Amino acid sequence: MTATRAFDVVLVLGGGNALGAFEAGVYQALHDHDLLPDWIVGTSIGAINGGIIAGNAAPRRIDALRSMWRPDGTMADWPASGVPQGSPWSSEVARRTAAATWTLAAGRPGMFGPLLSSLAPWADHRPSLFETEQLAATLARLIDPDELNAGHCRFTATALDLETGLDVVFDSRDTRIGAQHIRASAALPVAYPAVGIEGRWLVDGGLSANLPLDPVLAAPSARPMLCIAVDLLPLAQPLPRTLGDTATRMQDLIFAAQSRRTIAHWQAIHAGRDDIAVTLAPIVYTDQRIEVAGKAMDFSGPTIARRWAAGRTAAERLIADLAAGSLPIGRPGLHVVETG
């Protein structure tokens, strides 16, 4: 399918920390149907997932993602990946809350660990709660740098200059991307330290655009494109009923409102154009009824497995729409479609 299709597939992966397991599930569905991306654009956890995908030949991508996420319930970040059954903490909400609390205390093996440098300012202006040297080692283990930079899939990661506030874009077409670029894209203050690259201190690109559509829609080519944009934070959700619900809703809205404005912006700019053919298909992690206020720090095995499965199911709906011919692939203009 990849060799014969008449359109490019672009996969845009947004930020959301532990929610990023949903993106891995989305990719697995695309992979299973041979709908492999020609270009991946990511920020934050989306840059980590995207770098792992683009940095491996297709046969190794799913195993690499599984090594990163371990969606089989075997995570050792909380005793037995949960809490004792029959205890006051045995409900799902309590289990997830406990898992997030554990991560805040102990970090996430393979990604970050406690540092508490905020208690003593660093000379290089990188105060943070956690270190991400573990992430650098994980990326070095899971990513083939030659495949990432000159392989089958173009890769772009976005970041933000901590001092100037300007957007920074790293593209494998003109920059040799390494683990430091991906770490910079995922360096959310105050949790993670800024990353120094070429004299600048860089932080999480999601602070500017958590769904990094700008590199794709700023100059789309004339060749038909299916842009699959995975958003981990939903815009619309039921009214909150508790303080925890309200905190969760605040997190969602801060970033989801960015995505809404970005899409509206590009719709206005490309209105009436007949020299492009872009189908923008957002896949949003909407069913978050059992998520908790600390959801972005819940890396527990059962939660990761459920998010992975949810992403796979959501992508299957898009693939069904594509197979049924209900997507406006190749139609002139920019078309935003709902899937499923």
Side-chain angles (χ1 to χ4, degrees), residues 159-176:
L160 198 65
D161 188 307
L162 182 60
E163 185 175 14
T164 67
L166 296 178
D167 294 314
V168 179
V169 178
F170 299 111
D171 193 311
S172 63
R173 281 190 170 180
D174 50 46
T175 301
R176 184 165 180 84

Side-chain angles (χ1 to χ4, degrees), residues 3-340:
T4 59
R5 68 183 181 222
F7 58 92
D8 291 334
V9 173
V10 180
L11 184 60
V12 176
L13 301 174
N17 214 14
L19 301 175
F22 181 90
E23 295 175 337
V26 168
Y27 176 76
Q28 182 173 19
L30 301 179
H31 185 96
D32 290 346
H33 290 270
D34 200 25
L35 197 65
L36 304 183
D38 301 286
W39 182 15
I40 298 175
V41 181
T43 198
S44 197
I45 194 63
I48 294 173
N49 282 327
I52 291 172
I53 296 167
N56 282 277
R60 294 192 292 271
R61 290 174 178 174
I62 299 300
D63 285 343
L65 284 172
R66 287 190 174 276
S67 181
M68 168 71 188
W69 287 102
R70 289 165 279 176
D72 54 2
T74 62
M75 283 291 294
D77 53 358
W78 181 263
S81 295
V83 293
Q85 293 299 312
S87 76
W89 290 96
S90 61
S91 75
E92 181 64 6
V93 170
R95 186 195 67 76
R96 288 173 179 250
T97 301
T101 302
W102 181 261
T103 301
L104 288 170
R108 200 281 192 177
M111 291 185 70
F112 55 89
L115 186 62
L116 297 177
S117 67
S118 57
L119 301 180
W122 289 22
D124 58 6
H125 309 295
R126 295 194 300 168
S128 61
L129 296 175
F130 300 100
E131 55 76 23
T132 56
E133 298 303 322
Q134 296 182 51
L135 176 61
T138 295
L139 294 174
R141 176 173 60 87
L142 295 180
I143 293 176
D144 177 343
D146 292 331
E147 185 68 30
L148 180 65
N149 289 283
H152 298 84
C153 181
R154 177 183 175 187
F155 175 65
T156 301
T158 66
L160 198 65
D161 188 307
L162 182 60
E163 185 175 14
T164 67
L166 296 178
D167 294 314
V168 179
V169 178
F170 299 111
D171 193 311
S172 63
R173 281 190 170 180
D174 50 46
T175 301
R176 184 165 180 84
I177 296 178
Q180 72 273 23
H181 300 91
I182 298 173
R183 284 176 62 215
S185 180
L188 180 67
V190 178
Y192 312 121
V195 177
I197 297 178
E198 297 179 355
R200 295 181 295 182
W201 292 111
L202 304 181
V203 294
D204 198 311
L207 292 171
S208 175
N210 199 51
L211 189 64
L213 288 165
D214 291 352
V216 178
L217 298 181
S221 67
R223 180 173 166 81
M225 175 194 300
L226 171 60
C227 179
I228 302 168
V230 186
D231 202 342
L232 301 176
L233 300 167
L235 182 63
Q237 288 286 280
L239 285 172
R241 296 185 177 183
T242 67
L243 190 60
D245 290 345
T246 303
T248 300
R249 195 72 191 109
M250 179 194 68
Q251 296 173 59
D252 293 345
L253 290 173
I254 287 172
F255 295 105
Q258 289 182 3
S259 303
R260 172 180 55 80
R261 288 194 300 270
T262 297
I263 292 173
H265 168 76
W266 289 114
Q267 284 180 302
I269 286 180
H270 294 311
R273 289 188 62 174
D274 59 5
D275 60 333
I276 62 171
V278 179
T279 300
L280 174 58
I283 296 180
V284 185
Y285 180 26
T286 54
D287 187 2
Q288 299 198 15
R289 290 170 293 177
I290 59 174
E291 296 288 0
V292 297
K295 60 187 180 183
M297 285 292 187
D298 178 7
F299 286 92
S300 61
T303 302
I304 293 302
R306 288 169 186 158
R307 290 171 181 159
W308 185 301
R312 191 172 183 180
T313 298
E316 289 285 356
R317 291 194 290 267
L318 170 65
I319 293 166
D321 290 342
L322 179 62
S326 58
L327 300 182
I329 305 292
R331 187 183 303 171
L334 169 60
H335 304 275
V336 181
V337 300
E338 293 185 6
T339 58

